[in-house]
Amino acid sequence: GIQKIDIKVVKKAVEELEAAMSLEPSHTAHYPALAKAYLAVKRKDKAAEVLKACLELKDGDDPAQHELEVEECRRLTAKHKL
């Protein structure tokens, strides 16, 4: 079934993920998570910015995880036509 999203919780997640990204910009996992949070609060413009930044990263702090996260960013970009 469809879950009701608590906007306050998602907005708090956005704040925390933005802070995490500013502290660890090479930690690729933050990018798709933040993009999903932005999409949940109807900020497609901000999601697009984050996904673009993810796709421009040359490498992340965890090479094994980097490609998986970049692929998730590609998938989100296509799915939401960003």
Side-chain angles (χ1 to χ4, degrees):
I2 298 174
Q3 294 179 333
K4 185 176 179 181
I5 297 173
D6 184 337
I7 296 300
K8 287 182 184 176
V9 172
V10 177
K11 285 183 177 180
K12 180 69 175 165
V14 165
E15 290 173 15
E16 291 179 8
L17 286 162
E18 286 173 339
M21 277 184 61
S22 70
L23 293 172
E24 297 180 294
S26 65
H27 190 68
T28 321
H30 297 318
Y31 291 79
L34 181 55
K36 289 175 189 176
Y38 278 138
L39 289 167
V41 294
K42 311 272 191 266
R43 290 300 311 266
K44 220 174 173 180
D45 58 326
K46 296 295 281 180
E49 286 177 26
V50 170
L51 292 170
K52 182 178 185 235
C54 177
L55 296 175
E56 291 173 350
L57 283 176
K58 299 296 179 220
D59 56 5
D61 60 354
D62 181 351
Q65 195 66 21
H66 176 75
E67 277 305 313
L68 293 173
E69 301 300 347
V70 170
E71 186 54 40
E72 177 68 1
C73 288
R74 282 190 196 103
R75 188 189 68 74
L76 288 166
T77 299
K79 178 179 179 182
H80 297 282
K81 298 176 177 71
L82 302 173

